Amino acid sequence: MTVTRRISRLVRWRWLALLCVLALAASACGGGNDDDEDGGGVAAEATAAPEASSGDGDDAPAPSGDDGDDAQPSADDGGDQDAGASEDTAEPEPAATEAPETALAPQYGGTLVMGLEAETTNGLNPVNAQAAVSGHILFRALYDTLTIEGVDGRAVPNLLESISPNNDFTEWTMVLPSGITFHDGSPADAAALKRHFEEQLLGTLTGISVRSWEIESIEIVDDLTVKMVLAKPFAALPEYLTSHLGYFGAPSMHDLGAEGAARNPIGTGPFMLDEWIPNEVTRMVRNPDYWRTDAEGRQLPYLDALEFRPNNDSDARYAALRSGDLDANVDNTGIRIDDYNEQFKTFWQGEAYAESTYLMFNHSRPPFDNVEFRRALAQCTDRQVLNTIRWDGQAPATGPFSPGTPGYLEDSGFPGFDPDAGSAAIARLGVTDVDLGTTTDPANLLTTELLAAMWGDCGLDVSITQVDQAELITNAVLGNFTAFLWRNHPSFHVAAERIWWHSEFGQGIALNFGRINNPAIDAALDESLTTNDFDRLTELAEDINRAFAEEVHNLWFYFSNWLIAAHDHVHGIDNLTLRGGQEHVKVLAGRVFLTEAWIEQ
């Protein structure tokens, strides 16, 4: 569905009136997260959450100031330090984890009903799905990722038993545990892993990324071991396998073809697809042969079933949670922090690796191909007012990296609010109208309407086009937009952002949706593939941050507060027992595991 609205030179009093009305709703807004470490119990819950702020925008998050050390070239589960790595520098600050509750013995059975912000309309095959956060939650129930984001800033094995490189990162050896099977009973072995990467190479979107690795060969070493040989260094491979490229599907699923696989996902995950009625419900049932146990050796998963109900109206999902129609809800809002914290059990992502919410410009279309115009729009946008009305009052983001994330800068040089300068530049350039795109979520429409009002005061007529989330992603891939509201870049590893920002991915069917072409950004991203030195990776990320600011490639707003809100009878959200007691970053960009979730009967 596409809806276009015309907003013509809205005068200042209108958006100031909107501020006064909505500021009442935003007066109880939150900032950072100060969770304690997980106590290691089976049902560790998040009890600490973002604190309420005054809403005046003065409580800006402070940078962590931590220095990084050399990352291990091996992400095996033993955690041994490579002989060439530094041992005398500080680790990156871990992401906030959940605070422990009184240990309760988990109960088996029951169905968890969860609200999602969107439907993954083109199916549940990760090779071809255009999945936002909701899709990743579905995938993490159906599939196991090969690796996962560890709290020390390194990807660690999840399904894989180990993943390790040679000295120059041109060869990677991946070892699977024995005895794991897919939902159809077939073995999750080396032959299946080789097929997995071959299918990723063939994918319309995944192939764009995987082809850039320049794979020379994928060799089966033994029944459980694969060696991937590359034509160039690729130090960030483990980080690339924590998401889309790491969801491990069965060969039999791929044998069904793209359309068949989309409706018949077959993974190794804790749940199996039972029913999918698009835009109504996705139901999954317990995998009786799941390979993982909890920290006490109990068989997982605990739940009999999951039901996911998509609804792009955040107000409607909140109401459904309050009424009891939902057991849990995924939300990405900054204006209900106190409501959620007071009424429900809340699971919040920490400050580090938070997604940026921003306006993405299409650099291949005028007038957004002109840096002077992009700078003028930034000057015409009172981002502090927008953040106070529409989010949690945090100081405007200075770039794509949140506090605590390597690359964060308190001052990147991004243009400040200067409407006189912005208006003069727009008049000089002769631009009179622009189009803004967003989803059908009413909250996103309010944000774009506020932007339109601000830009109207600088002499622009603004049209707003609304589409559903899947269509928005399609438009991004094809370049069928001028500017739209977007949310991305948790930046767990700067090299993982290469597909979104490098000019190599900015042509035709593109993953660099904004079609950015910046030699300084390209050079930093290229170097990020060759090293696992945290200090150097941080320097490269900071260089990228400054380059974004200088060319105003995006209009940054705020860092997202992702949360899962649930009733008190729900436990174990995003718990996941990893080998060797390792921990993963919780609620990363809204993505959660429900492997150890359970319900008090």
Side-chain angles (χ1 to χ4, degrees):
M1 178 182 70
T2 301
V3 178
T4 302
R5 305 170 187 268
R6 189 74 176 177
I7 299 185
S8 302
R9 304 203 54 161
L10 297 180
V11 293
R12 183 174 298 273
W13 67 264
R14 180 169 175 184
W15 64 263
L16 284 175
L18 180 64
L19 185 158
C20 294
V21 173
L22 294 181
L24 295 175
S27 61
C29 300
N33 188 311
D34 193 26
D35 295 344
D36 297 327
E37 292 187 356
D38 188 344
V42 173
E45 311 289 7
T47 55
E51 298 175 355
S53 73
S54 63
D56 60 8
D58 295 332
D59 299 327
S64 69
D66 286 354
D67 295 322
D69 73 346
D70 298 343
Q72 299 175 11
S74 172
D76 63 20
D77 63 329
D80 294 332
Q81 182 75 19
D82 180 71
S86 170
E87 297 181 353
D88 57 359
T89 53
E91 295 283 352
E93 183 179 353
T97 55
E98 300 171 356
E101 68 172 12
T102 302
L104 297 173
Q107 299 176 24
Y108 285 90
T111 297
L112 178 70
V113 182
M114 176 176 283
L116 300 180
E117 65 172 5
E119 177 64 271
T120 304
T121 56
N122 64 339
L124 301 174
N125 174 13
V127 173
N128 294 302
Q130 296 172 10
V133 170
S134 299
H136 285 286
I137 294 174
L138 298 176
F139 292 159
R140 289 187 176 208
L142 293 166
Y143 306 93
D144 291 298
T145 56
L146 295 172
T147 63
I148 194 63
E149 298 90 350
V151 295
D152 65 351
R154 302 181 176 95
V156 298
N158 184 24
L159 180 66
L160 287 176
E161 188 169 277
S162 67
I163 175 170
S164 56
N166 64 353
N167 290 335
D168 66 356
F169 306 106
T170 58
E171 295 182 4
W172 284 90
T173 300
M174 289 166 267
V175 181
L176 289 159
S178 62
I180 296 179
T181 59
F182 292 104
H183 297 157
D184 63 356
S186 61
D189 57 11
L193 187 58
K194 182 175 186 290
R195 176 74 179 274
H196 166 81
F197 288 115
E198 291 170 345
E199 292 294 332
Q200 297 283 0
L201 273 166
L202 297 173
T204 303
L205 297 182
T206 58
I208 296 172
S209 177
V210 178
R211 283 191 293 272
S212 72
W213 304 355
E214 298 185 21
I215 297 174
E216 290 188 340
S217 66
I218 303 173
E219 305 169 8
I220 296 177
V221 177
D222 58 38
D223 287 349
L224 298 173
T225 306
V226 165
K227 182 168 74 172
M228 182 182 292
V229 180
L230 310 172
K232 64 181 183 182
F234 190 40
L237 180 63
E239 282 71 32
Y240 271 66
L241 302 182
T242 64
S243 185
H244 245 89
L245 302 180
Y247 295 121
F248 191 19
S252 59
M253 178 181 78
H254 301 306
D255 290 341
L256 299 172
E259 185 174 346
R263 298 201 66 89
N264 297 278
I266 304 171
T268 62
F271 296 93
M272 306 180 295
L273 183 64
D274 179 52
E275 180 182 41
W276 177 35
I277 304 176
N279 297 308
E280 291 187 23
V281 64
T282 300
R283 178 178 169 83
M284 302 178 190
V285 295
R286 184 178 190 269
N287 174 7
D289 300 316
Y290 190 51
W291 60 276
R292 197 190 304 262
T293 60
D294 68 13
E296 304 299 323
R298 290 175 286 233
Q299 182 65 43
L300 294 170
Y302 304 122
L303 292 167
D304 285 338
L306 298 170
E307 285 188 10
F308 298 101
R309 299 179 183 175
N311 189 327
N312 62 16
D313 188 333
S314 56
D315 291 335
R317 293 198 313 277
Y318 174 73
L321 185 65
R322 289 190 64 188
S323 70
D325 289 340
L326 298 176
D327 297 305
N329 179 39
V330 182
D331 214 331
N332 178 233
T333 180
I335 59 175
R336 281 206 183 95
I337 287 176
D338 281 352
D339 289 339
Y340 274 118
N341 288 341
E342 291 171 3
Q343 298 181 47
F344 305 104
K345 183 183 295 184
T346 53
F347 305 78
W348 294 88
Q349 180 180 346
E351 190 175 55
Y353 314 124
E355 287 185 307
S356 303
T357 293
Y358 61 96
L359 198 71
M360 178 184 288
F361 301 132
N362 187 342
H363 293 62
S364 69
R365 290 193 176 189
F368 299 98
D369 57 348
N370 187 328
V371 65
E372 187 177 0
F373 180 73
R374 299 195 300 268
R375 184 175 293 109
L377 287 184
Q379 292 169 329
C380 287
T381 307
D382 192 335
R383 296 182 295 139
Q384 185 61 77
V385 166
L386 185 143
N387 288 3
T388 300
I389 296 173
R390 297 301 307 137
W391 201 244
D392 61 359
Q394 65 177 264
T398 62
F401 308 112
S402 67
T405 305
Y408 170 77
L409 294 170
E410 188 171 3
D411 182 6
S412 65
F414 193 84
F417 181 52
D418 188 349
D420 291 338
S423 296
I426 288 170
R428 184 170 61 254
L429 293 170
V431 180
T432 59
D433 57 89
V434 295
D435 180 76
L436 282 178
T438 188
T439 67
T440 52
D441 186 338
N444 288 339
L445 176 61
L446 284 175
T447 299
T448 49
E449 286 180 337
L450 182 57
L451 287 172
M454 293 178 179
W455 294 0
D457 289 335
C458 279
L460 289 171
D461 290 340
V462 182
S463 299
I464 296 176
T465 300
Q466 290 181 272
V467 298
D468 66 37
Q469 192 176 79
E471 185 178 350
L472 189 73
I473 296 173
T474 299
N475 290 343
V477 170
L478 299 176
N480 294 335
F481 71 98
T482 53
F484 54 45
L485 200 62
W486 200 250
R487 181 189 65 208
N488 198 2
H489 314 305
S491 299
F492 181 77
H493 190 295
V494 66
E497 303 294 348
R498 190 172 182 272
I499 59 173
W500 308 121
W501 298 334
H502 197 287
S503 61
E504 176 184 348
F505 304 100
Q507 304 294 324
I509 296 177
L511 295 178
N512 174 357
F513 302 141
R515 278 68 179 168
I516 294 167
N517 188 344
N518 187 315
I521 292 176
D522 285 356
L525 290 169
D526 287 341
E527 185 179 343
S528 73
L529 296 181
T530 67
T531 180
N532 62 1
D533 182 316
F534 265 109
D535 288 336
R536 183 57 184 155
L537 288 169
T538 298
E539 291 171 356
L540 293 171
E542 290 173 352
D543 290 344
I544 290 169
N545 203 345
R546 295 186 186 95
F548 264 104
E550 182 178 358
E551 293 295 317
V552 198
H553 287 307
N554 294 322
L555 180 52
W556 309 110
F557 297 140
Y558 48 79
F559 298 114
S560 295
N561 281 329
W562 275 106
L563 83 150
I564 311 298
H567 288 282
D568 287 342
H569 63 266
V570 178
H571 302 272
I573 295 286
D574 214 16
N575 285 358
L576 193 69
T577 300
L578 302 178
R579 298 180 185 87
Q582 293 173 311
E583 295 290 333
H584 68 96
V585 180
K586 302 294 181 70
V587 199
L588 177 65
R591 305 168 188 181
V592 294
F593 292 96
L594 299 173
T595 309
E596 299 190 24
W598 61 278
I599 294 175
E600 284 187 68
Q601 307 294 319

